[in-house]
Amino acid sequence: MVKAKVAKEDSTWVKYFASIRGVCPWSYKLMDKILVIEPHISCINTWSTVFKASSHEAFVYKFPQASVTWLINKCDQLNASQDFSEWLWSHPEEGGDSTHIPCLIQQDRAKLTTIRESIGYVEED
């Protein structure tokens, strides 16, 4: 039963990464370098430190019960406290290219900046 649940969850993430290729073209191609986990909130700082030393392109932290407000606040807090990482959030209530489960996404800030510059992406304030 556990294997079936994991396989279904993996399949859902594969479909998600395929669906966002228009806004994040590398995510589908590098799925094997994206770690999807459901940590206890008290462990997020530990996991975020592990990210810096890992070879992963991103960590996706699932928080199934999180509200949009909680995700925004936590994302802002983490971005303010960590120069190495860029934190993004996603919640299914937001629609569009949102994930199917509330989550925070951690990526390497320098890599993300380089990618954005190479495609001419400009953030709107």
Side-chain angles (χ1 to χ4, degrees):
M1 186 64 122
V2 172
K3 280 187 177 183
K5 185 176 180 182
V6 169
K8 182 179 180 187
E9 177 71 8
D10 287 348
S11 171
T12 302
W13 283 105
V14 169
K15 288 176 188 170
Y16 172 71
F17 291 131
S19 76
I20 64 166
R21 282 186 275 195
V23 293
C24 189
W26 62 267
S27 63
Y28 184 75
K29 187 167 61 170
L30 297 175
M31 276 187 304
D32 59 333
K33 291 195 168 277
I34 300 172
L35 180 64
V36 180
I37 56 176
E38 191 171 329
H40 188 277
I41 187 59
S42 66
C43 298
I44 197 163
N45 288 331
T46 301
W47 276 105
S48 68
T49 302
V50 170
F51 171 75
K52 187 174 181 176
S54 80
S55 62
H56 287 83
E57 293 293 326
F59 278 8
V60 175
Y61 302 87
K62 301 185 301 180
F63 294 102
Q65 304 305 316
S67 68
V68 170
T69 302
W70 184 88
L71 290 170
I72 291 169
N73 291 337
K74 192 65 178 174
C75 189
D76 289 346
Q77 174 193 1
L78 290 163
N79 275 320
S81 67
Q82 296 182 5
D83 291 335
F84 175 81
S85 297
E86 177 153 343
W87 291 84
L88 307 163
W89 63 273
S90 184
H91 196 289
E93 289 178 5
E94 295 296 297
D97 296 315
S98 297
T99 53
H100 59 284
I101 190 167
C103 64
L104 293 171
I105 303 157
Q106 181 183 18
Q107 293 179 268
D108 180 301
R109 186 181 305 275
K111 281 185 185 179
L112 207 50
T113 299
T114 300
I115 291 168
R116 288 174 174 160
E117 288 171 352
S118 73
I119 63 170
Y121 176 83
V122 178
E123 280 195 52
E124 297 176 13
D125 291 329

